Each structure stands twice: as C-alpha cells, then as structure tokens.
Amino acid sequence: MTDQQLFLVVVLLLLGSALGYFLRQFLASKRAKAVEQIIKKQLEEAKSKATDLVLKAQEKAASLLERAGLEEKERKNQLLKLEERLLKKEEVLERQLNEIRIKDEQNQKLAKELEAAKKEIDDLRNEAMSQLEKVSGFSKEEAKEILLKDVRGQYQKELSQAFEKLEKERREKLEKKALEIMTTAIQRLSRSHVATVTTTAFDLKSEDLKGKIIGREGRNIRTLERLTGVELIIDETPDSLVISSFDPVRREVTKLALEKLIADGRIQPAKIEEKVEEAKQEINKRVVEEG
C-alpha cells in the first residue's frame, strides 16, 4: 500500500468517525426534544386537570357557604320571630299584672269597707238587742234569736253575694300568683334559650308529609293550630317541623295528634278534630295517673 492510499484510508476513517459522532448527536438531540415535548404535554394536562379540580372545589365550597348562609339566616329569622312573640306575651302579662294589682287594691279597699260594715252591723245588732230586751221583756238569748232571724231574712242575699265576691277574689289572687311565677320564670330565661323552652321538634318520615299537614290552601295547618293553640313552623329543614308554644301540654297534645294523623294516613280537618280530641283525652289521663 502506498503512502497515498494509506493517507486516503486514514482520512476516510476520520470522516466516518466524525460523521458517526454527529449522527449520534443528532439522534440524541431529536430524542431529547421528543421526550421534552411529551413531558411538556403531560405537564400541561396535569395543570389543566388541577385547574379543573380547583374550580370544582371552589364551586362546591361556594355552594356550601351559600347553603350555610341561607340556613343561618332562616334560623335567625325564626329566633327573631320567637323573640317578637315573647315580647308580645311579656307585654300582655305586664298588662294583666297591672290589672291584677289594681283589682287587688280595690279588693283590699272593699275588704276594709266590709269590715267596717260588719262592725257597724254588730254595733246595731247589739243596740237593737238591748232595746228589744227593754221593750219586749224577752231574755237576751230569745232576743238574739229573734234578731238573728230578722237579720238573716233581710241580709241573706247580701251576705251570699259578699261570700261569692270573696271567693272570686281568692281565685283571682291565686291566678295573680301563678302569673307572677310565670313572669319571673320568663324573665329569667336567656334570649338564646327561648327556642329550646318554647318549641318541640317533630320528625317526619318524608318531605311529602309537609304538604299533607299544610293541606289545600293551608286548611289543615290552620285547623290544627286553632284546635291546639300552638304554632306550626314548617321551613326548609328536611324531614322536620317545629311545634311552638309556651304551654308544654299543648305542644305534647299537638305532637301526639300528629303521630295519630300520620299513622292513620288521612290528614283532613275532620280527622284532625278527632285526633286532637283523642290526644287531649290521653294527655289528661296521663296527667291524672302521674298526679
């Protein structure tokens, strides 16, 4: 092999090596770009999914907050209504107490007048007995008997009316005491605990029962409230209604009547009257049995 041929071989080897090197670099660069594009695409997809998840989470959170806000607003409205009713009842009780105080003062005045009249009658009777003894010659006991018969004949009606009035006053005093106790108890109650004292929650098996209890044009609920003397609060609370009244016996009667109506399945004014009467009888029986 000549020097020229040897040189040519060396040059060809060098060119082949260089060409192979550049070819490998080119292929490696191409693969790197492809991998980079794949990674970039995956990152974009992951970012898009993450954005969707965040948006959905935000929408759900906003929905929950809105619902919670509405429920809180409804609870506040119910509490405000209860407070308004409580204030009205307090005003009524205050007026009744004032009337009772006035009647008590009048009764005290009347009692003093009756006492004075009694004393005057006793004085007149003693004087009449003395005169009767002198004029008729009867003994003191005989004169007393005659005079008593005469007085009974003349004043029996007045005395009967006086006793009836005193009995009425006694009842009024008892009612006054009961009202004072009730007023004191109400005044001691905290506003935040009014609902727990004056309401009873009643669970329903389904939301459909609310419509049946309300009835066409509200006839059923009005009949039930009129017969029991309570207020029925039917709102957005699921499967539940509230029985509101200051009287726990009325609330219990209403609760029992509702249970009977739901068990019967026929909720209408005539049935409501029947079941309310049954509930009242059962509650009265319980009260008598428990003393």
Side-chain angles (χ1 to χ4, degrees):
M1 182 179 293
T2 62
D3 292 338
Q4 188 177 4
Q5 290 176 337
L6 181 61
F7 176 75
L8 182 60
V9 170
V10 171
V11 170
L12 290 173
L13 288 173
L14 290 173
L15 287 173
S17 298
L19 183 61
Y21 173 77
F22 285 115
L23 183 60
R24 285 194 301 273
Q25 290 294 324
F26 174 75
L27 293 174
S29 175
K30 192 173 182 181
R31 283 197 297 270
K33 288 181 179 179
V35 171
E36 184 179 355
Q37 289 178 353
I38 292 171
I39 293 173
K40 185 177 180 181
K41 184 178 180 181
Q42 290 177 346
L43 286 173
E44 289 177 352
E45 290 177 353
K47 185 177 179 181
S48 177
K49 289 181 180 178
T51 302
D52 291 341
L53 289 173
V54 169
L55 289 174
K56 289 180 180 179
Q58 289 176 344
E59 290 175 358
K60 188 173 182 180
S63 176
L64 290 173
L65 286 173
E66 183 180 1
R67 182 177 177 183
L70 291 174
E71 291 177 354
E72 181 65 21
K73 184 178 179 181
E74 183 64 26
R75 282 194 293 270
K76 287 182 179 179
N77 289 336
Q78 290 182 10
L79 285 175
L80 286 174
K81 289 179 181 178
L82 288 172
E83 287 183 359
E84 288 175 1
R85 287 197 294 271
L86 177 61
L87 289 173
K88 288 180 181 178
K89 288 186 179 293
E90 286 179 350
E91 291 174 359
V92 172
L93 287 173
E94 186 63 30
R95 286 198 299 270
Q96 291 176 345
L97 286 175
N98 287 333
E99 292 175 359
I100 290 172
R101 292 190 191 99
I102 293 172
K103 288 182 180 179
D104 188 49
E105 292 174 357
Q106 293 174 347
N107 291 336
Q108 290 179 3
K109 183 179 179 181
L110 179 62
K112 290 179 180 178
E113 292 176 355
L114 287 173
E115 187 66 28
K118 181 181 178 182
K119 185 176 183 303
E120 184 178 356
I121 290 172
D122 289 340
D123 293 341
L124 290 173
R125 183 182 61 186
N126 292 332
E127 183 180 353
M129 286 180 65
S130 298
Q131 292 179 358
L132 188 61
E133 284 182 24
K134 293 177 181 178
V135 173
S136 64
F138 289 114
S139 66
K140 184 177 181 180
E141 292 299 323
E142 290 173 339
K144 181 179 179 181
E145 183 65 26
I146 293 171
L147 185 61
L148 284 175
K149 287 181 180 179
D150 184 54
V151 169
R152 278 198 297 267
Q154 292 182 18
Y155 298 103
Q156 185 173 7
K157 184 177 180 181
E158 287 82 353
L159 289 172
S160 177
Q161 290 175 347
F163 281 124
E164 288 178 1
K165 192 168 187 178
L166 288 173
E167 179 64 21
K168 182 180 179 182
E169 291 170 6
R170 186 182 69 83
R171 288 197 302 269
E172 288 177 349
K173 286 181 179 179
L174 290 175
E175 291 175 358
K176 173 188 173 183
K177 187 65 177 177
L179 284 172
E180 288 176 349
I181 293 171
M182 184 184 297
T183 303
T184 302
I186 290 174
Q187 290 174 347
R188 288 179 179 176
L189 289 175
S190 169
R191 286 278 193 271
S192 61
H193 293 84
V194 170
T196 59
V197 176
T198 61
T199 61
T200 299
F202 184 82
D203 295 330
L204 300 172
K205 294 180 180 179
S206 68
E207 283 291 294
D208 296 339
L209 288 172
K210 289 184 179 180
K212 293 181 180 180
I213 292 171
I214 294 172
R216 182 178 297 177
E217 298 178 354
R219 284 185 294 182
N220 290 346
I221 192 171
R222 286 199 301 271
T223 301
L224 191 56
E225 289 179 336
R226 176 176 57 81
L227 293 173
T228 59
V230 305
E231 180 182 0
L232 294 178
I233 301 173
I234 300 178
D235 53 23
E236 299 299 325
T237 306
D239 301 331
S240 178
L241 60 82
V242 175
I243 304 169
S244 176
S245 173
F246 283 92
D247 190 336
V249 176
R250 290 183 178 181
R251 296 201 304 270
E252 189 63 25
V253 168
T254 306
K255 182 179 178 182
L256 184 57
L258 282 171
E259 291 174 354
K260 289 178 175 292
L261 286 167
I262 292 171
D264 185 272
R266 292 171 294 176
I267 303 178
Q268 54 191 11
K271 275 292 176 183
I272 291 172
E273 291 184 10
E274 177 185 333
K275 298 304 179 183
V276 168
E277 186 60 31
E278 290 179 5
K280 286 181 179 179
Q281 292 177 3
E282 288 190 23
I283 295 299
N284 289 335
K285 185 177 179 181
R286 289 184 199 172
V287 172
V288 172
E289 289 175 352
E290 295 177 6

